[in-house]
Amino acid sequence: IRATVAANASACERYPFLVEECGNRGWEFAAHGTHATRMISSRLSEADERRVIETSADAVAHATGTRPRGWISQDFGESHRTPQLLAEAGFDHLAHWPNDDQPYVMTTDPELISVPYQSELDDVQLLWHRRTLPPRYPAIIEEAFSVLHEEGAGSGRSFGLGIHPWLFGMPHRIRYLNEALDKLVAFEGAWQASLGEIAAHARAEMTSSS
């Protein structure tokens, strides 16, 4: 499974060895704000929000050599301006809206693709906030995926699984992540794709059908 790394500016600057390791594994990078403790919200001015977006993109580009095309918002935070500002900054997709199971076009100029994110299955939401016991995790993930796998036989579905190393990387939890991933890769006909690949495929399909 090739991951898409949600990389904030601070992490890119502080942990270059992790950026290098993720790159060596062929993982994709998406911009993720500046710090884990700083969310975008409507309290920011437009100028400040533009600055956050640009700082995030520049940090990922400097660390990886490639400017990110995808954005995953810190803690799902954004203002009413965020999608449009992302589009103007050169991003072509985002992945923090949980309101669908298929990618769709957002009403920005230029157009952004929203790639679904199953926020309820995010490990912080599920294990940290809702206190679901880790041994239950593999079965929950398998059940959710099986429903989308069946529904997607005709028109496709997107399944994004959010993982945070500080939480699931603990020795007493990591086995349950491994078990869940083993269950996912056992499904036949599932496309293991990066965030950018999903967005590009969705955009091509929408273009060809219009």
Side-chain angles (χ1 to χ4, degrees):
I1 294 178
R2 289 180 297 111
T4 294
V5 181
N8 68 43
S10 178
C12 287
E13 295 165 1
R14 295 178 64 183
Y15 307 113
F17 65 96
L18 287 179
V19 173
E20 181 180 8
E21 178 63 25
C22 292
N24 290 340
R25 296 185 181 204
W27 293 356
E28 179 185 78
F29 288 84
H32 189 51
T34 60
H35 300 75
T37 55
R38 301 178 191 176
M39 291 174 58
I40 289 178
S41 76
S42 293
R43 292 188 176 187
L44 288 178
S45 68
E46 181 174 331
D48 286 340
E49 187 171 354
R50 287 184 185 276
R51 192 173 302 112
V52 168
I53 292 171
E54 194 63 27
T55 298
S56 305
D58 286 348
V60 174
H62 178 75
T64 67
T66 302
R67 190 170 180 85
R69 304 296 302 277
W71 177 274
I72 302 173
S73 191
Q74 177 66 51
D75 291 328
F76 309 99
E78 64 173 42
S79 74
H80 66 281
R81 299 180 298 258
T82 305
Q84 179 59 38
L85 296 183
L86 290 173
E88 292 174 8
F91 289 89
D92 65 17
H93 59 277
L94 54 75
H96 55 264
W97 284 45
N99 59 324
D100 211 323
D101 295 324
Q102 293 180 313
Y104 60 89
V105 176
M106 305 191 81
T107 54
T108 56
D109 183 21
E111 293 178 340
L112 279 177
I113 297 290
S114 176
V115 179
Y117 184 89
Q118 281 74 22
S119 59
E120 284 196 9
L121 301 179
D122 179 279
D123 60 346
V124 173
Q125 298 294 319
L126 195 63
L127 304 181
W128 192 259
H129 294 310
R130 293 177 178 154
R131 298 292 190 264
T132 301
L133 296 177
R136 294 188 57 203
Y137 182 82
I140 291 173
I141 299 305
E142 181 182 29
E143 182 174 3
F145 189 89
S146 67
V147 172
L148 293 179
H149 186 263
E150 182 178 351
E151 292 180 350
S155 61
R157 293 292 187 272
S158 179
F159 184 84
L161 195 61
I163 300 300
H164 296 76
W166 62 266
L167 180 61
F168 239 136
M170 294 298 168
H172 59 288
R173 295 193 186 102
I174 192 67
R175 60 170 286 192
Y176 302 111
L177 174 59
N178 290 334
E179 289 177 12
L181 296 181
D182 285 342
K183 291 178 181 296
L184 295 186
V185 299
F187 281 85
E188 294 184 2
W191 179 34
Q192 297 177 28
S194 70
L195 173 61
E197 289 172 336
I198 295 172
H201 175 75
R203 188 179 295 277
E205 287 291 303
M206 294 171 189
T207 300
S208 65
S209 62
S210 62

